Amino acid sequence: MYSDEVSLSSENVMRVLYLARKYMVPSFEERCNTYLREELNANTVLDILQDAQKFGDEDVEEICLKALKAQTKEALSSYTLEKLDSSLLESIVKMDGLNVREVELFKAVDRWAARQGRIKRIARKKPPDGGEKREIIGETILKAIRFPLMSLKEFASTVIDSNILTMKEISEMVKYYADVSISPLSFEQAPRIGPFKRCCRFGRLVSGEEGRGWYYRGSSNEIRFSVTKDVILHGVQHFGSEDGKYEVSIKIKDLRKNDSFLSQSYLTEQSGSYLSSKENNETFHGFDVLFDKAVALESGTTYEIVSNIRGPDSWYGLEGKPTVECCGVTFTFSRACSFVSDVSRGQFPALIFTVYV
């Protein structure tokens, strides 16, 4: 306190923040808040969330929950999972809005139980069996896992082999997959995350046949945008052509962190080959680029999409709207440094997102 020096980490930041508020040291409090804003990520969120709940800090807890929902898979893969209290694990397993496949959530719970079993039997080298892990997990957590959301292959190769479920429960699930169930399931089957929403930004769509088409030879298309509510960005739709194949490398940048055009600090990146098609409910050819790592977008913050595209000339949009209201969220678009796409014309027919639940 007297030297005004502190070394913060995910394991101590909430304790320091608690003391800074208790003893009214505003410089430390601001430093903790800055750390939480800049360093909160998939590897640290569980540590910080657990401490936030212990200290009753609802503001930090809310920030952590949003980060957890956006990057659930990455967070559950971190080493901090094994240190969670059972009460926090229970609250996570019961959550809607988790951005993770159900089989991955089950694997995380299984790893947690195996770790807890080893701790309780430190002198015993043999890992806990399925029955012991079920006892450690508890019926409340187990019943909150939504096994019907898994595919038959995932259930057969992962869940059955874990020996955590009883034969009666396995039989019940097999009947469910075979569509011969005659009684209600013991496990919830509501999706964790609602259907993807699409913010469509153009009033008019133009095909290559109507004009020259949108030219790609590895060119960079960019657009900036902000939102009025916190959402999770899962991907960006791109224009294409009939049966066109495209090589895409897309990145999302938070302009608060660095507004430099040369900055390489991105929230997420995705690259791959994509085949363009026309869906039944669409009038144009295009393709979705979905992120392996979804992005938590904060209201009032400006983000930038940078997409390098290589492929045949494509459809494009005209009469773009500076603001679009979708599912209670207002998206505001602005021009980036690119001379290719902008607000009124070009690439990116839709942003693919979900609202926090």
Side-chain angles (χ1 to χ4, degrees):
M1 289 171 65
Y2 293 105
S3 65
D4 199 35
E5 294 179 2
V6 63
S7 178
L8 296 175
S9 69
S10 62
E11 295 182 347
N12 71 15
V13 63
M14 287 307 303
R15 294 168 173 81
V16 175
L17 180 58
Y18 172 80
L19 293 171
R21 290 172 176 171
K22 181 175 181 178
Y23 294 108
M24 294 178 288
V25 188
S27 62
F28 275 15
E29 182 174 354
E30 177 55 32
R31 216 171 298 182
C32 291
N33 289 329
T34 300
Y35 181 92
L36 290 169
R37 287 193 302 270
E38 297 180 353
E39 302 298 329
L40 184 66
N41 56 51
N43 292 322
T44 62
V45 64
L46 293 177
D47 260 338
I48 296 173
L49 174 59
Q50 186 154 262
D51 282 342
Q53 291 188 341
K54 288 179 180 177
F55 290 110
D57 194 319
E58 295 181 358
D59 293 336
V60 175
E61 183 178 352
E62 183 178 356
I63 294 171
C64 289
L65 288 175
K66 289 179 179 179
L68 175 61
K69 288 182 177 182
Q71 300 183 43
T72 313
K73 180 180 178 181
E74 294 81 3
L76 294 180
S77 299
S78 70
Y79 73 95
T80 54
L81 169 75
E82 297 178 353
K83 300 187 291 183
L84 289 188
D85 294 337
S86 61
S87 58
L88 177 53
L89 181 66
E90 179 182 328
S91 66
I92 292 173
V93 175
K94 288 181 175 180
M95 284 181 191
D96 287 326
L98 296 181
N99 188 35
V100 67
R101 290 163 53 210
E102 202 70 17
V103 68
E104 298 300 329
L105 180 61
F106 173 79
K107 288 178 181 178
V109 172
D110 189 22
R111 289 196 307 274
W112 177 85
R115 170 63 174 170
Q116 300 303 311
R118 288 194 296 271
I119 292 174
K120 290 182 178 180
R121 299 167 176 82
I122 195 166
R124 177 180 172 184
K125 295 182 179 180
K126 186 179 179 181
D129 60 25
E132 290 171 323
K133 285 192 285 187
R134 180 173 182 131
E135 183 179 349
I136 293 167
I137 293 169
E139 295 302 307
T140 302
I141 293 177
L142 188 66
K143 294 299 182 181
I145 297 174
R146 304 177 189 185
F147 293 103
L149 300 184
M150 300 180 192
S151 68
L152 173 58
K153 182 177 180 180
E154 289 171 337
F155 183 82
S157 62
T158 302
V159 179
I160 293 179
D161 288 346
S162 73
N163 296 314
I164 290 176
L165 295 187
T166 64
M167 286 305 300
K168 181 179 179 181
E169 290 166 335
I170 293 173
S171 174
E172 179 184 350
M173 286 301 305
V174 169
K175 290 180 179 179
Y176 166 78
Y177 289 119
D179 198 23
V180 294
S181 298
I182 59 175
S183 58
L185 281 174
S186 305
F187 305 103
E188 190 176 347
Q189 50 189 313
R192 291 279 177 184
I193 196 165
F196 288 165
K197 312 294 183 184
R198 292 177 182 263
C199 171
C200 303
R201 69 188 196 93
F202 291 113
R204 181 184 167 202
L205 305 176
V206 182
S207 70
E209 289 75 18
E210 295 180 54
R212 175 171 169 268
W214 203 252
Y215 177 81
Y216 298 129
R217 295 298 182 269
S219 56
S220 176
N221 285 254
E222 303 167 11
I223 194 71
R224 293 179 177 179
F225 70 100
S226 62
V227 290
T228 55
K229 290 183 180 180
D230 294 354
V231 300
I232 303 174
L233 183 68
H234 295 275
V236 179
Q237 187 180 35
H238 287 59
F239 285 114
S241 59
E242 186 174 1
D243 298 324
K245 186 176 181 180
Y246 296 86
E247 299 292 330
V248 178
S249 176
I250 186 171
K251 304 170 183 177
I252 308 295
K253 182 195 296 186
D254 181 344
L255 295 184
R256 290 177 305 179
K257 296 185 177 180
N258 196 329
D259 200 11
S260 168
F261 183 70
L262 299 177
S263 170
Q264 297 300 312
S265 175
Y266 298 103
L267 299 176
T268 192
E269 302 181 38
Q270 194 73 34
S271 299
S273 300
Y274 300 87
L275 186 63
S276 175
S277 63
K278 182 186 287 187
E279 300 297 335
N280 294 333
N281 59 340
E282 292 179 337
T283 59
F284 64 94
H285 289 89
F287 56 93
D288 294 343
V289 178
L290 297 176
F291 305 135
D292 292 333
K293 177 184 175 184
V295 182
L297 303 180
E298 298 181 19
S299 62
T301 299
T302 301
Y303 300 90
E304 184 173 276
I305 301 171
V306 181
S307 184
N308 291 291
I309 309 164
R310 186 176 294 276
D313 294 355
S314 77
W315 284 65
Y316 60 95
L318 293 175
E319 301 175 8
K321 306 168 187 176
T323 60
V324 179
E325 196 279 330
C326 184
C327 303
V329 183
T330 300
F331 290 75
T332 301
F333 296 95
S334 59
R335 184 169 186 164
C337 300
S338 171
F339 294 100
V340 186
S341 291
D342 58 27
V343 176
S344 61
R345 63 194 294 271
Q347 183 53 262
F348 312 132
L351 304 188
I352 304 166
F353 71 101
T354 53
V355 181
Y356 283 104
V357 292

